[in-house]
């Protein structure tokens, strides 16, 4: 998908379809009135006749037309925006999604959009551009590598021109470049998440990192295999991978966009390419969805790719800690005690609490970067879905400023998070009779005690944990990876740059 910004009015670009917004019971705004002129008043007439009243969720499609001389050919799409007084960021996002859904089901390969029509109160043009690009790219996403050709209807839409006023052009162009790069990152995260677990495994993720490094000058990839992890003393990652034929990997992607020596932001992604639970085996229903247990890692790949594409002027390190959690004669047992890279010992009481184990060693390992901040991203706990459902990620950490920055980035992009407390009292739940800590903290506050576990490996730097168990994928008919929280993380990094 190609996005560009133009200062022409909506009637000018030679495209297959033009889209404008209509507020409830209002006259056409900038976009629609330009179209109206090119179509000899057809739109005003239809509105007057009550064919459309601009109610939220309504839409009207007009086939090609317009007077000769005006380049009004092609069809027109009017999207209802709802009452002007209710048109806030949420309503604008919904309108953008409705617009996107309508565009991708049309046969047109090119479209133009009147951006200002979709601008809610309190938001600038850059926000609207970001929102439109994200919505269209999201609606146009298909995952087809494993489907026969006849079984899929491809999206025809390919080129989108965003029409803005001259005064907004510069800001819109900048936002368009950013948003397109973020969309690439989101798609990368979706692709990796959706890839089946027989094709996506620790070494295949390592290959993805190597390939990305080949393509981007400022990116360097390093892969630690099981022997390296052994030498290093990463006992927790190794313990999780022990039951699998596919050995674990620790993957580092160093993106150097900033000055040499500038402390990097480090992202650490949980990359369990399949989580059976191990010997503490999960129930069978919907177990296929545990292929998404590497969506934290997928988001790290997505962010690194977006950074490369944008040439973001900061240093960012993406670390993926990857293993397959399988039951086997060699698998870790409940009751086993392992020594983590930090030297702390862990009694593994439940082999299904494996995410925190692979993260523990990675979080120790990244101390070497003397990071400005470390953010880990993980589909860590079912309890997170109980607490927040599928609306927001849980955010916890040891630094209020970092947590608040991530919350703000989530709010801005609609890729939201909600903070949970990390009060020291919760640490009690991780007591073990035999080791420095247990890997589970009992039923109460499962998302918090998982973060408490991680906090014992992050004391030496500024850290936040993002539990994406509820937001990284959708179940049911629309089953698939969402690419979250790439938008939140990218907004955070753009705000740092
Ligand atoms: N990957 C799961 C968490 C998860 C569950 C994510 C369902 C998305 C949907 C994680 O490894 C896990 O199994 N966590 C356990 C922890 C428990 C054993 C303390 C859980 O949440 O049940
Ligand atoms: Mn698990
Ligand atoms: Zn897991």
């Amino acid at each position: 998908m190609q996005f560009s910004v133009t200062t022409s009015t909506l009637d000018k670009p030679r495209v297959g379809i033009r889209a404008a917004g209509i507020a409830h019971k209002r006259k056409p705004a900038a976009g629609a009135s330009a179209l109206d002129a090119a179509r000899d008043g057809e739109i005003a007439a239809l509105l007057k006749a009550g064919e459309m009243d601009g109610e939220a969720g309504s839409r009207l499609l007009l086939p090609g037309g317009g007077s000769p001389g005006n380049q009004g050919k092609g069809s027109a799409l009017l999207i209802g925006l709802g009452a002007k007084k209710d048109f806030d960021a949420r309503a604008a996002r919904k309108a953008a999604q409705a617009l996107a859904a309508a565009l991708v089901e049309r046969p047109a390969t090119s479209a133009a959009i009147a951006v200002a029509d979709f601008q809610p109160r309190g938001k600038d043009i850059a926000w609207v551009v970001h929102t439109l690009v994200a919505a269209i790219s999201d609606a146009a996403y298909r995952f087809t590598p494993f489907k026969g050709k006849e079984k899929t209807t491809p999206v025809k839409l390919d080129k989108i021109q965003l029409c803005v006023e001259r005064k907004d052009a510069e800001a819109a162009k900048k936002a368009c470049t950013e948003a397109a790069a973020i969309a690439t990152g989101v798609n990368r995260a979706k692709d990796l998440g959706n890839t089946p677990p027989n094709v996506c495994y620790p070494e295949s993720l390592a290959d993805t990192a190597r390939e990305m490094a080949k393509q981007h000058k400022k990116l360097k990839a390093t892969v630690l295999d099981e022997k390296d992890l052994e030498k290093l003393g990463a006992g927790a990652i190794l313990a999780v991978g022990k039951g699998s034929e596919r050995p674990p990997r620790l993957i580092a992607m160093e993106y150097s966009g900033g000055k040499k020596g500038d402390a990097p932001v480090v992202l650490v992604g949980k990359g369990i390419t399949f989580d059976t639970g191990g010997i503490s085996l999960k129930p069978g229903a919907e177990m296929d969805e545990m292929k998404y247990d590497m969506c934290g890692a997928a988001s790290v790949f997505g962010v690194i790719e977006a950074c490369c594409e944008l040439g973001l002027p900061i240093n960012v390190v993406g670390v993926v800690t990857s293993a397959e959690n399988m039951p086997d004669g060699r698998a870790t047992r409940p009751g086993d005690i392992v020594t983590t890279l930090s030297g702390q010992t862990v009694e593994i009481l439940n082999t299904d609490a494996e995410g925190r184990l692979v993260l523990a060693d990675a979080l120790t390992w990244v101390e070497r970067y003397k990071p400005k901040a470390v953010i880990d991203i993980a589909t860590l706990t079912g309890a997170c879905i109980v607490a927040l459902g599928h609306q927001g990620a849980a955010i916890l950490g040891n630094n209020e400023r970092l947590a608040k920055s991530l919350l703000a980035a989530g709010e801005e992009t609609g890729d939201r998070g909600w903070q949970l407390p990390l009060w020291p009292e919760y640490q009690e739940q991780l007591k073990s009779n035999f080791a420095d800590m247990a890997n589970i903290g009992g039923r109460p506050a499962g998302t918090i005690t998982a973060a408490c576990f991680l906090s014992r490996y992050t004391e030496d730097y500024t850290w936040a944990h993002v539990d994406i168990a509820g937001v990284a994928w959708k179940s049911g008919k629309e089953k698939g990876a969402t690419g979250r929280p790439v938008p939140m993380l990218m907004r955070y990094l753009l705000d740092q740059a």
Side-chain angles (χ1 to χ4, degrees):
M1 195 80 69
Q2 241 177 286
F3 296 93
S4 60
V5 168
T6 169
T7 52
S8 349
T9 49
L10 186 60
D11 51 311
K12 291 294 184 302
R14 297 184 158 275
V15 290
I17 188 164
R18 296 177 173 76
I22 302 277
H24 188 47
K25 297 202 167 132
R26 296 270 175 148
K27 293 222 180 73
S33 59
L35 269 189
D36 193 41
R39 300 179 76 102
D40 300 329
E42 184 191 14
I43 290 174
L46 284 167
L47 293 181
K48 201 167 164 210
E51 290 294 345
M52 197 227 195
D53 65 356
E55 215 179 307
S58 64
R59 68 190 202 193
L60 184 64
L61 181 80
L62 311 176
S67 49
N70 278 316
Q71 290 157 12
K73 294 200 191 71
S75 45
L77 175 65
L78 304 178
I79 296 291
L81 304 173
K84 197 113 199 178
K85 68 168 182 24
D86 298 332
F87 201 63
D88 56 8
R90 185 198 308 270
R93 207 169 265 125
K94 275 197 139 168
Q97 283 160 359
L99 164 63
L103 283 180
V104 301
E105 71 190 27
R106 304 305 313 162
T109 58
S110 57
I113 301 169
V115 175
D117 284 10
F118 296 88
Q119 183 169 1
R121 76 176 103 84
K123 295 291 184 191
D124 58 15
I125 207 77
W127 185 91
V128 191
V129 169
H130 268 282
T131 302
L132 287 169
V133 171
I136 293 166
S137 171
D138 201 54
Y141 177 82
R142 300 286 181 276
F143 185 70
T144 54
F146 300 90
K147 278 191 181 250
K149 267 218 178 82
E150 325 74 59
K151 301 253 161 60
T152 54
T153 22
V155 170
K156 301 255 174 49
L157 187 65
D158 181 43
K159 281 200 181 68
I160 291 107
Q161 297 194 43
L162 302 167
C163 302
V164 303
E165 281 181 53
R166 185 139 294 149
K167 68 169 173 48
D168 290 330
E170 207 177 312
K173 277 183 185 157
K174 180 164 169 278
C176 184
T177 307
E178 291 171 359
I182 295 170
T184 304
V186 166
N187 285 349
R188 164 76 70 170
K190 287 182 182 177
D191 282 348
L192 286 169
N194 288 330
T195 302
N198 56 334
V199 179
C200 175
Y201 49 92
E203 177 60 17
S204 82
L205 290 179
D207 274 337
T208 302
R210 292 183 192 108
E211 266 159 43
M212 274 171 52
K214 246 189 243 158
Q215 270 165 30
H216 299 282
K217 253 208 179 128
K218 293 178 180 166
L219 188 64
K220 186 183 145 215
T222 312
V223 177
L224 275 62
D225 66 15
E226 68 274 28
K227 289 192 199 90
D228 301 322
L229 293 168
E230 194 92 49
K231 262 184 258 159
L232 192 66
I237 300 179
L238 288 166
V240 173
K242 266 172 69 187
S244 171
E245 294 289 324
R246 280 143 168 195
R249 296 285 182 264
L250 186 64
I251 304 160
M253 291 172 279
E254 295 166 25
Y255 168 75
S256 308
K259 288 200 211 76
K260 210 179 157 172
D262 274 2
V265 173
V266 177
L267 306 173
V268 179
K270 170 180 172 181
I272 299 296
T273 57
F274 196 70
D275 182 12
T276 65
I279 297 299
S280 313
L281 194 62
K282 285 183 182 296
E286 277 116 49
M287 205 203 268
D288 66 289
E289 295 193 353
M290 281 301 126
K291 73 172 180 178
Y292 294 118
D293 212 16
M294 37 59 71
C295 281
S299 75
V300 171
F301 280 106
V303 167
I304 292 293
E305 181 159 42
C307 288
C308 289
E309 203 146 293
L310 271 180
L312 209 65
I314 56 172
N315 296 331
V316 183
V317 180
V319 171
V320 163
T321 179
S322 184
E324 190 184 43
N325 189 20
M326 299 289 269
D328 181 74
R330 271 182 290 257
T332 294
R333 293 157 286 257
D336 283 2
I337 293 178
V338 299
T339 304
T340 59
L341 181 56
S342 71
Q344 300 177 92
T345 58
V346 178
E347 184 183 16
I348 298 179
L349 290 175
N350 189 322
T351 63
D352 198 11
E354 85 297 337
R356 62 197 76 184
L357 293 170
V358 296
L359 285 170
D361 281 349
L363 288 168
T364 302
W365 191 75
V366 301
E367 279 172 17
R368 69 186 53 226
Y369 290 110
K370 309 226 165 3
K372 186 172 143 199
V374 177
I375 304 165
D376 79 75
I377 310 103
T379 48
L380 204 62
T381 60
C384 184
I385 310 176
V386 176
L388 298 175
H390 303 286
Q391 301 308 317
I395 295 179
L396 306 95
N398 62 13
N399 182 290
E400 268 322 285
R401 239 188 98 194
L402 175 59
K404 292 281 178 302
S405 304
L406 288 170
L407 290 168
E411 207 50 57
E412 183 71 9
T413 54
D415 182 12
R416 287 189 295 190
W418 193 254
Q419 194 174 3
L420 296 179
L422 246 192
W423 296 319
E425 286 77 1
Y426 289 109
Q427 298 280 352
E428 309 274 319
Q429 288 175 239
L430 292 175
K431 275 202 176 130
S432 158
N433 286 357
F434 306 108
D436 295 340
M437 70 197 81
N439 78 325
I440 52 171
R443 262 182 78 78
T447 301
I448 297 174
T449 54
C452 282
F453 184 92
L454 301 179
S455 75
R456 295 172 182 223
Y457 302 86
T458 60
E459 279 174 359
D460 294 340
Y461 49 70
T462 298
W463 160 72
H465 162 61
V466 185
D467 192 330
I468 57 167
V471 301
W473 78 87
K474 288 183 185 150
S475 306
K477 228 177 79 192
E478 304 261 279
K479 181 149 66 184
T482 60
R484 291 179 71 179
V486 171
M488 176 205 282
L489 294 169
M490 280 308 296
R491 186 69 256 164
Y492 165 77
L493 291 174
L494 283 164
D495 291 344
Q496 302 301 299

